[in-house]
């Protein structure tokens, strides 16, 4: 079993199968969740929103809006991470104004998507919370 002790060679060519592509994609998702604190926060808040949707019994259309908002924020966070890593790869430890601009714009996209998600959350949940609170009074 000496082959198990060999370090894995980095892949430099194309993926040979759908499953190989899938494994690389899954590795990328695990990496962003493990390494990015903001993605972890988005996942927790997304889970809370999904649980709230289940609790309040959202309609199909409401579920679609909620899922769109959650996934949009996560996609923007993934793209933000990509932009940051590419900038860091290119600039190394040196400051570059254009790299800062790219990072700021990517972060702004996350904030924009998060604002959309908050708006969707308010539209979906405030009436349901209000109805629940008003029954207690």
């Amino acid at each position: 079993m000496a082959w198990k002790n060999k370090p894995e060679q980095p892949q430099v060519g194309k993926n040979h199968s759908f499953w190989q592509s899938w494994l690389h994609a899954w590795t990328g998702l695990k990496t962003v969740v493990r390494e990015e604190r903001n993605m972890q926060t988005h996942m927790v808040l997304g889970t809370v929103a999904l649980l709230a949707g289940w609790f309040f019994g959202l309609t199909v259309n409401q579920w679609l809006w909620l899922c769109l908002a959650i996934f949009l924020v996560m996609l923007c966070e993934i793209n933000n991470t990509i932009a940051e890593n590419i900038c860091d790869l290119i600039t190394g430890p040196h400051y570059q104004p254009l790299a800062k601009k790219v990072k700021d714009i990517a972060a702004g996209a996350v904030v924009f998507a998060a604002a959309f998600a908050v708006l969707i959350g308010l539209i979906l949940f405030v009436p349901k919370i209000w109805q629940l609170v008003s029954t207690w009074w």
Side-chain angles (χ1 to χ4, degrees):
M1 299 289 164
W3 60 272
K4 285 188 176 180
N5 294 329
K6 287 184 182 177
E8 187 176 321
Q9 295 296 322
Q11 180 182 339
V12 293
K14 288 186 148 237
N15 293 327
H16 299 292
S17 69
F18 170 79
W19 295 111
Q20 190 178 26
S21 299
W22 176 259
L23 288 173
H24 289 306
W26 185 247
T27 299
L29 290 173
K30 288 190 304 186
T31 300
V32 76
V33 170
R34 185 176 56 250
E35 294 180 5
E36 295 297 322
R37 183 188 69 243
N38 288 341
M39 182 57 117
Q40 295 166 5
T41 302
H42 297 315
M43 294 212 31
V44 168
L45 293 174
T47 301
V48 169
L50 292 172
L51 291 172
W54 173 77
F55 177 79
F56 286 114
L58 297 181
T59 66
V60 171
N61 284 335
Q62 291 172 327
W63 274 112
L64 290 172
W65 280 103
L66 182 63
C67 289
L68 173 67
I70 292 168
F71 279 90
L72 184 63
V73 171
M74 290 185 180
L75 285 170
C76 286
E77 186 62 47
I78 289 168
N79 285 325
N80 181 48
T81 301
I82 292 167
E84 289 175 348
N85 280 281
I86 289 173
C87 287
D88 291 346
L89 176 68
I90 293 169
T91 62
H94 306 290
Y95 175 80
Q96 291 289 336
L98 191 55
K100 180 192 181 319
K101 185 177 179 180
V102 168
K103 289 180 174 187
D104 289 350
I105 292 169
V110 177
V111 171
F112 197 71
F116 174 76
V118 168
L119 179 62
I120 294 299
L122 290 172
I123 291 169
L124 294 179
F125 294 121
V126 166
K128 295 182 181 300
I129 292 170
W130 181 255
Q131 184 180 16
L132 185 66
V133 169
S134 65
T135 61
W136 289 345
W137 289 356

